[in-house]
Amino acid sequence: GAWFLLLPINAGTVIYTYGLSDILSAVLTLWILCWLAAKEKIGPWDLAVILFIFILSLGAKQSSIVTPVLAFILIPKQRRAILAMSVVAGIYVLSRLIYFGRIGDIEAVTTYPTWDYFTSQGLMILKYVKLIFWPFGLCVDHAVFPRHFDMSQRFVGWLGVLVFSAI
């Protein structure tokens, strides 16, 4: 626990004011996952509390949308809770789409083609894993664009993620 709290990359998130929503979202998501893991069977009251926490988490940061997927991977026996969170996630995405007209980053000035963005994410995942163990070059704010990497670098990045995940 202390290792996680003292990591420079996490401390940078705390220092960055807007990063506090990341922490709140992560804590609420972790709370849900711990609740699901601790219970053999989820009752109606448990489900209501889990859904309430999930809604709070979505309110803190839209990236909490991955909570049902994480629960499915880590605690697949809790099908009812996963299904209920998936329904809430679907309603959330649909409401964002209806209200804002899109579901992505609303503050973004420009967006990148899906393929360019997706292929560069392997390198970003490896970058943040590296920062956990070697926090050299860590800064509070950054901007890395897909155009900064050629396709061979993107391929090697995803290959690294796959190898790291397999290990």
Side-chain angles (χ1 to χ4, degrees), residues 11 30 43 49 78 101 103 112 153-154:
L30 185 59
V49 172
Q78 299 292 3
I103 56 174
Y112 299 98
Q153 290 174 303
R154 297 175 191 191

Side-chain angles (χ1 to χ4, degrees), residues 29 32-33 36 47 50-51 53-55 58 64-72 78-92:
T29 297
I32 291 169
L33 295 174
L36 290 173
L47 186 58
I50 286 168
L51 291 177
I53 295 168
F54 182 50
I55 290 167
L58 286 170
S64 296
I65 199 82
V66 301
T67 306
V69 176
L70 292 173
F72 179 75
Q78 299 292 3
R79 290 185 194 107
R80 196 171 90 177
I82 293 167
L83 179 61
M85 285 190 297
S86 297
V87 168
V88 168
I91 292 168
Y92 172 76

Side-chain angles (χ1 to χ4, degrees), residues 2 8 14 22 24 26-27 34 36 44 48 74 86 95-96 114 127 131 135 144 151 154 160:
V14 173
D22 293 323
L24 179 59
V27 167
C34 288
L36 290 173
L74 299 172
S86 297
S95 65
R96 277 185 67 90
T114 304
K127 172 186 174 183
L131 287 171
V144 179
M151 194 51 77
R154 297 175 191 191

Side-chain angles (χ1 to χ4, degrees), residues 3 6 10 28 31 37 43 64-65 122 135 145 153 161:
W3 184 64
L6 298 174
N10 296 341
L28 293 172
W31 189 5
S64 296
I65 199 82
F145 304 105
Q153 290 174 303
V161 168

Side-chain angles (χ1 to χ4, degrees), residues 49-161:
V49 172
I50 286 168
L51 291 177
F52 178 71
I53 295 168
F54 182 50
I55 290 167
L56 291 176
S57 181
L58 286 170
K61 187 81 172 182
Q62 65 189 14
S63 60
S64 296
I65 199 82
V66 301
T67 306
V69 176
L70 292 173
F72 179 75
I73 292 168
L74 299 172
I75 315 147
K77 67 180 181 178
Q78 299 292 3
R79 290 185 194 107
R80 196 171 90 177
I82 293 167
L83 179 61
M85 285 190 297
S86 297
V87 168
V88 168
I91 292 168
Y92 172 76
V93 169
L94 185 62
S95 65
R96 277 185 67 90
L97 182 60
I98 291 169
Y99 187 76
F100 294 117
R102 61 182 175 165
I103 56 174
D105 187 353
I106 295 167
E107 297 172 347
V109 177
T110 60
T111 57
Y112 299 98
T114 304
W115 178 250
D116 288 342
Y117 187 75
F118 171 75
T119 56
S120 66
Q121 291 311 293
L123 291 166
M124 295 301 95
I125 292 168
L126 292 178
K127 172 186 174 183
Y128 285 105
V129 169
K130 178 200 74 137
L131 287 171
I132 289 172
F133 299 104
W134 189 44
F136 182 76
L138 176 67
C139 65
V140 173
D141 201 7
H142 62 280
V144 179
F145 304 105
R147 67 178 180 266
H148 290 158
F149 310 106
D150 63 36
M151 194 51 77
S152 64
Q153 290 174 303
R154 297 175 191 191
F155 175 77
V156 170
W158 273 114
L159 183 64
V161 168

